[in-house]
Amino acid sequence: MEKNNIDPHELDYLQRTEKAILKKIDMTEKRLADTRHSFENEKKFLGENYYYVDKEGDLAQKFSEIAMLEENAQNLELEHKRLSLQLRSPYFARIDFTPKGKKTTQKIYIGLNNVFDGATTLVVDWRAPISSMYYDYPLGKASFATGKNTIEGEMSLKRQFKIENRQLLSYFDTDLTINDDILQEILSKHSSAKMRQIVSSIQKEQNAIVRTEKYDNVLVQGVAGSGKTSIVLHRAAYLLYKHRKTLKSSDIIILSPNNIFSSYISEVLPQLGENNLAETTYDRICHVELHKPIQTREDMLDEIATSPTQKQLDEISFKSSFEYLDELLKFMQGPLVETFSPKTLSYCIGFTPDDEKIEITFPEEQTKDLFFNAYKDMDIYERIAKIAWQYAMVFTERRHYNKAQFKGLRDRFKRILYNFLPIKDSDKLTQIFLARMGLTVPKNGGIRYMDKGVMLAINHFIYGFEHDFSAKYLIIDEMQDFTPVDLYVFKKLWNCQSIIVGDINQCIEKTLTKEYLDEVAQFLNTKLITLTKTYRSTKEIARFAHNMIGLDGIDYVNRSGQEPELIKSQDIAKDIAKIVEENDEYDHIAIICKSHKERSELAKALKGHVDVHTIDRSEDYNHKVLLTTCATAKGIEFDCVIVPNADQDNYVNNVDKNILYVSSTRALHKLYFLYNTQPSKFLKGLKK
C-alpha cells in the first residue's frame, strides 16, 4: 500500500499513540532520575554515618531502603527500555470486534505492551485475552476467554501494520490469521546474531501453546523450523504478564543446550520488554554437583562421528532407553540400599547416685527398621536425615539442648549413619552399576557424557543436591538430547510446571520413535502437542531435508528458493570462497563440518581465502562467515549453509545421515554440499 493511500485516521492514531508513549517516557525518565538521586544520597549518608546508624540499630532497615531504591531503579530502567522499543513500532495489528448483543464496535490496536491516554486504552498488550482473537480467528464469529467467562461476537476487520522507526509504511486488511505477504516478508529476512521476537507473526497453533491454561505441563514435538524455541520464550513472556504480581523473570529457568545457544536467544525477552530468564545448562549443573571434569556433548558426538564402534553405538542406544532407567532405579533401590549395615549406638549421658551409667541406646534393629521400613519410599539422604533428626531429638529432650546444640548433634548423627554405607562414592558406584550391566567402564577418572546422568542420579540418591536450582516454571529446550535418566534427574531438580520442547528427528547419536515420545510424555505427566509446519527454510531446502530421513506429513510455508546445490570440488577452499562471494548479500553464512578435526583442517585451508571465524564462544556468532560443527550449530539458523566433504566415505551411516539432516535444517535460504569424488548416498536426488 502506497503511503498516499493510507487512511488519514490511521496516521492520526499513530501520532496520538506516539504522543502518549513519549509522555510516559518523559515521566519515567523523571522518576528514574529522582530514584537514582535518592539511591546515591542514601548510599552517601550511610557511608558517612555508618557508626551512628549501626549504634541506633537501624542498619538493617537502611540497607533494606537502599535495596528497595535499587530495585525501583532497575524496574524503571526496564520500563524505559520497554517504552523506547514500543515507540519505534507502537502496534502491529488492529481488529474491529463487536461483542454479542452490543451495537458499538471496538477498535483494538495490538502491540508489545499496553498504551494508555488517560483512561483510554490506545494499544492492548499482545498477551491480553482479547488479543488472542488476532491469532486464532479469521473474519466472522470470534471469541476470547477472560477468567471463567467467554466473550463472543463478530470480528469485522483484521488489519496488519508495517511500522518502522515511527513511520507507518503500509498496512493490509486480511481475512487470514496472518497475512501471507507479511509472513513471507518476515521469513525472507536475513538471519541475525540474535533470535528475534515474533509477536506479529505467531501462528494459531503456536499461540495455543503460548497461552495454554488447560495443561500444567506441555511437551512439544516440533519439526525443524516450527518455532519451538520462540514459542517457549513467548510462553515465558505471557506467563510474566499474566502472573506479574507473583512471577518474576528470575523465577523461570531455561535449560539451554549450550552457552552459544543461550547467547543466541538472549535478546528475545528484552525485545518483548521483559528481563531475561535464569539460565543454565545440564553440563553446568553436573559440574557444580559432581566436581569432576565431564565430557561435553560436542566431544561425545565428535567421537562417534569420526570413529564409531558398533558397541559404542549400541551402548548409547541402551543408555537412551527407559529400560536403562528402570535398571538404574532397581540398582539404587536394591543392591545400593541393601549395603546399609548399621550397628548399635550407645551413649553415656551421666551416672546414677550409685555410679551406674545412664545411657541412650539406639539398637541396630531400630535403625534398620527405620531405614528399611518406616522410610523405605525415600532416597537415602532423606532416610538418613529423618533418622538423624529423630535420634538428635531424643538427646535434646533428655538433655534440654538448645537449637545450635541440636543442629550439631543432628549433623553428627548424619555422619555416623553415612559410615554404615560401605561404598558411598558416586563415581565408584557408577562404575559398579556399569559393570553389573555389562557396559564399558571408563578408566580415566573423568565422566563420559552418557554417564553423567547416572552419576548425578546416584549422587543425589545418596546425598541430595548441594545447590538450590528451584524455580516456579521450567523450560527445557532440545528435549531429544536428554536421556530418560536425565529426565529422572530433572524431576528431582525441579518440582514445578514446565514446557519441554524438542524434535526426535534431530537426535544425532540415536534413533528415537513416536513410541519413545509417548513414554516421555507419560513419564513427565505432560500433554504431548505436535507441530508439523515448518517456517525456517525455503520449501526446496525443507523438502530435501525431510526426504533425506523419510519424514512425511510436513506442512511447508509457501516460500520458494533455489534447490540445494551439489558441487564437485577439487579445491575446497577456493570453492567455498566462491560461494561466500556469490552470497555476499547475506549476513550469516555457516560452514558446518562433521567433526572438530575436519573443522580444524578446513580452518587452515581457508586461511588467505575467506575471513572465517570458528564458533567457540557466544561472541563468535556475530561474524559473517562462521566455521562450526553440527553439534554446536543445533538450534541456530543461518542465511546460507555450506557442508564440506559431503562424500560417500565421509557420510555413510545413520549417525552421518542425522548430521547431514540437522546441518541442512539450519539453512534459511541457500544450502550447498561440496564433495570430491562421490557424493554421499544420502544426497541422492540432488543435481550434480
Side-chain angles (χ1 to χ4, degrees):
M1 175 175 291
E2 296 294 330
K3 192 163 183 179
N4 292 338
N5 296 329
I6 291 177
D7 185 347
H9 165 79
E10 294 292 7
L11 293 172
D12 291 342
Y13 199 89
L14 178 59
Q15 291 177 359
R16 181 184 175 188
T17 305
E18 287 178 347
K19 186 177 178 181
I21 295 173
L22 286 168
K23 183 179 179 182
K24 184 69 174 176
I25 287 175
D26 185 56
M27 290 171 56
T28 303
E29 287 175 346
K30 289 177 181 177
R31 288 177 60 198
L32 181 57
D34 290 343
T35 303
R36 284 174 175 164
H37 182 70
S38 298
F39 176 71
E40 294 300 328
N41 284 345
E42 289 294 334
K43 279 204 309 181
K44 182 179 179 182
F45 174 82
L46 183 60
E48 294 173 349
N49 300 277
Y50 186 91
Y51 172 78
Y52 300 103
V53 174
D54 188 25
K55 189 176 180 181
E56 293 295 324
D58 295 332
L59 194 58
Q61 181 181 343
K62 186 58 67 176
F63 275 127
S64 177
E65 291 172 358
I66 292 174
M68 190 174 294
L69 284 169
E70 185 175 24
E71 183 180 354
N72 289 342
Q74 290 172 350
N75 290 335
L76 287 167
E77 286 170 357
L78 179 63
E79 175 72 4
H80 188 271
K81 184 175 183 178
R82 180 188 294 125
L83 290 164
S84 300
L85 279 170
Q86 192 159 11
L87 182 62
R88 299 178 202 166
S89 181
Y91 43 83
F92 55 84
R94 166 188 160 188
I95 57 175
D96 288 3
F97 178 69
T98 309
K100 191 175 181 180
K102 304 283 186 181
K103 293 183 178 180
T104 304
T105 298
Q106 302 174 16
K107 296 178 181 179
I108 303 152
Y109 288 78
I110 302 170
L112 286 179
N113 294 277
N114 295 317
V115 178
F116 300 101
D117 182 11
T120 304
T121 303
L122 296 178
V123 180
V124 175
D125 193 297
W126 68 276
R127 296 164 288 188
I130 198 169
S131 302
S132 65
M133 293 189 293
Y134 164 72
Y135 301 104
D136 291 342
Y137 291 99
L139 296 183
K141 293 186 182 302
S143 64
F144 66 95
T146 172
K148 295 181 179 180
N149 300 320
T150 298
I151 309 299
E152 298 179 341
E154 192 85 10
M155 184 157 57
S156 55
L157 182 140
K158 178 177 285 189
R159 180 167 288 175
Q160 296 162 37
F161 298 93
K162 183 179 180 182
I163 304 174
E164 294 179 1
N165 296 320
R166 301 169 63 178
Q167 295 295 312
L168 176 53
L169 303 179
S170 62
Y171 60 79
F172 297 87
D173 291 347
T174 178
D175 186 35
L176 304 172
T177 303
I178 303 296
N179 183 278
D180 194 54
D181 291 337
I182 290 182
L183 183 59
Q184 292 286 0
E185 182 180 344
I186 291 169
L187 296 177
S188 64
K189 284 184 177 179
H190 294 180
S191 67
S192 65
K194 305 288 183 182
M195 179 182 281
R196 293 179 285 239
Q197 53 88 358
I198 59 166
V199 290
S200 63
S201 62
I202 293 174
Q203 301 297 290
K204 183 176 180 178
E205 71 275 12
Q206 297 171 331
N207 185 55
I209 300 172
V210 168
R211 296 173 185 265
T212 182
E213 300 290 341
K214 192 173 181 180
Y215 307 105
D216 290 340
N217 302 304
V218 177
L219 172 64
V220 180
Q221 156 61 31
V223 295
S226 56
K228 298 180 295 294
T229 303
S230 289
I231 288 170
V232 295
L233 294 172
H234 287 73
R235 169 75 174 158
Y238 172 77
L239 292 172
L240 290 168
Y241 170 84
K242 184 174 176 60
H243 305 287
R244 51 193 175 277
K245 292 183 179 178
T246 57
L247 192 68
K248 305 189 297 293
S249 295
S250 56
D251 295 326
I252 304 177
I253 192 165
I254 179 168
L255 193 67
S256 298
N258 53 53
N259 292 329
I260 293 171
F261 182 78
S262 298
S263 174
Y264 176 63
I265 65 174
S266 63
E267 283 302 309
V268 175
L269 282 166
Q271 287 170 7
L272 295 170
E274 302 289 352
N275 282 324
N276 268 321
L277 311 177
E279 284 187 59
T280 191
T281 63
Y282 192 32
D283 283 354
R284 195 179 305 153
I285 290 172
C286 291
H287 181 72
V288 300
E289 286 293 316
L290 298 174
H291 309 288
K292 292 177 182 290
I294 301 167
Q295 182 187 35
T296 65
R297 177 170 177 78
E298 286 79 4
D299 286 341
M300 182 274 290
L301 291 176
D302 205 59
E303 195 176 292
I304 65 170
T306 52
S307 54
T309 65
Q310 192 56 49
K311 182 180 180 182
Q312 186 181 25
L313 295 176
D314 289 344
E315 287 195 0
I316 287 174
S317 180
F318 179 51
K319 290 176 180 179
S320 302
S321 68
F322 278 93
E323 181 187 352
Y324 187 62
L325 172 60
D326 290 340
E327 293 295 340
L328 175 62
L329 296 177
K330 289 176 187 175
F331 171 75
M332 292 193 299
Q333 294 160 0
L336 176 50
V337 164
E338 289 162 7
T339 62
F340 184 75
S341 183
K343 297 178 181 178
T344 297
L345 302 174
S346 294
Y347 302 94
C348 177
I349 61 172
F351 295 89
T352 67
D354 298 330
D355 209 30
E356 293 181 0
K357 286 183 179 180
I358 301 173
E359 292 185 327
I360 294 179
T361 300
F362 304 107
E364 172 187 331
E365 289 305 316
Q366 178 182 346
T367 305
K368 280 186 175 180
D369 184 60
L370 290 170
F371 188 88
F372 290 108
N373 297 317
Y375 305 132
K376 66 179 180 179
D377 295 327
M378 299 180 180
D379 293 343
I380 285 177
Y381 77 94
E382 295 173 303
R383 303 185 200 197
I384 286 177
K386 288 278 189 182
I387 297 169
W389 184 91
Q390 191 169 322
Y391 287 1
M393 187 57 70
V394 172
F395 267 85
T396 299
E397 290 173 349
R398 293 279 295 274
R399 301 300 300 271
H400 305 292
Y401 286 157
N402 59 33
K403 287 184 179 180
Q405 290 171 314
F406 169 79
K407 184 179 181 302
L409 191 59
R410 183 196 62 194
D411 292 343
R412 183 183 172 192
F413 270 118
K414 280 186 182 180
R415 290 192 293 271
I416 293 169
L417 291 167
Y418 270 115
N419 285 332
F420 295 147
L421 285 168
I423 303 175
K424 46 187 175 288
D425 180 78
S426 55
D427 195 347
K428 290 181 180 177
L429 287 166
T430 299
Q431 293 180 23
I432 291 171
F433 171 69
L434 293 173
R436 285 172 63 96
M437 299 304 300
L439 299 168
T440 305
V441 178
K443 299 176 181 178
N444 58 9
I447 305 173
R448 293 179 307 182
Y449 175 82
M450 293 301 296
D451 295 334
K452 65 183 180 181
V454 168
M455 191 177 295
L456 188 54
I458 290 174
N459 198 71
H460 169 267
F461 188 69
I462 300 173
Y463 299 108
F465 291 119
E466 185 179 336
H467 300 83
D468 181 14
F469 300 97
S470 59
K472 292 183 179 179
Y473 195 82
L474 170 67
I475 296 171
I476 298 178
D477 207 343
E478 302 289 357
M479 165 275 298
Q480 73 279 355
D481 291 348
F482 301 115
T483 69
V485 172
D486 298 330
L487 300 179
Y488 165 82
V489 171
F490 297 161
K491 288 178 72 172
K492 294 291 184 178
L493 277 163
W494 295 289
N495 181 25
C496 61
Q497 294 183 6
S498 62
I499 183 167
I500 301 163
V501 299
D503 178 14
I504 56 174
N505 303 298
Q506 292 187 65
C507 190
I508 293 173
E509 70 273 21
K510 55 188 179 286
T511 300
L512 299 177
T513 64
K514 174 65 168 62
E515 290 70 29
Y516 172 81
L517 200 60
D518 292 335
E519 284 187 278
V520 171
Q522 184 177 3
F523 179 71
L524 296 176
N525 190 28
T526 63
K527 168 65 176 177
L528 176 60
I529 299 174
T530 302
L531 299 175
T532 59
K533 191 167 186 177
T534 179
Y535 300 92
R536 176 186 294 134
S537 307
T538 61
K539 189 188 298 184
E540 289 76 10
I541 292 173
R543 276 182 175 165
F544 160 75
H546 294 139
N547 287 338
M548 185 195 303
I549 62 170
L551 189 62
D552 53 19
I554 306 302
D555 296 325
Y556 304 95
V557 172
N558 190 26
R559 183 170 72 87
S560 293
Q562 72 177 41
E563 294 285 348
E565 287 192 40
L566 187 58
I567 300 172
K568 186 177 178 66
S569 174
Q570 302 300 324
D571 187 334
I572 194 167
K574 184 178 178 181
D575 288 328
I576 287 176
K578 183 181 178 183
I579 293 171
V580 169
E581 184 180 355
E582 289 173 350
N583 291 279
D584 186 60
E585 75 272 21
Y586 291 126
D587 296 325
H588 284 92
I589 300 171
I591 306 162
I592 303 182
C593 299
K594 179 180 176 182
S595 65
H596 287 132
K597 181 182 178 183
E598 183 180 288
R599 187 188 69 175
S600 298
E601 290 174 352
L602 190 55
K604 293 176 184 176
L606 289 171
K607 278 187 177 178
H609 293 275
V610 182
D611 182 18
V612 66
H613 292 264
T614 301
I615 302 182
D616 291 314
R617 306 163 302 163
S618 57
E619 310 90 77
D620 297 326
Y621 186 69
N622 294 322
H623 297 285
K624 181 183 181 71
V625 185
L626 303 163
L627 185 61
T628 183
T629 62
C630 177
T632 304
K634 273 188 75 174
I636 303 174
E637 60 186 28
F638 308 92
D639 295 308
C640 172
V641 166
I642 304 167
V643 179
N645 303 312
D647 290 82
Q648 172 57 30
D649 59 355
N650 195 31
Y651 288 94
V652 63
N653 58 33
N654 280 337
V655 170
D656 299 333
K657 179 171 68 173
N658 293 339
I659 291 173
L660 280 177
Y661 172 71
V662 173
S663 299
S664 300
T665 59
R666 302 306 95 205
L668 275 76
H669 311 295
K670 298 282 190 69
L671 176 60
Y672 300 88
F673 298 95
L674 302 184
Y675 72 99
N676 179 253
T677 55
Q678 182 70 27
S680 169
K681 61 184 178 182
F682 304 123
L683 303 179
K684 63 182 179 181
L686 292 184
K687 293 181 181 179
K688 296 183 183 180

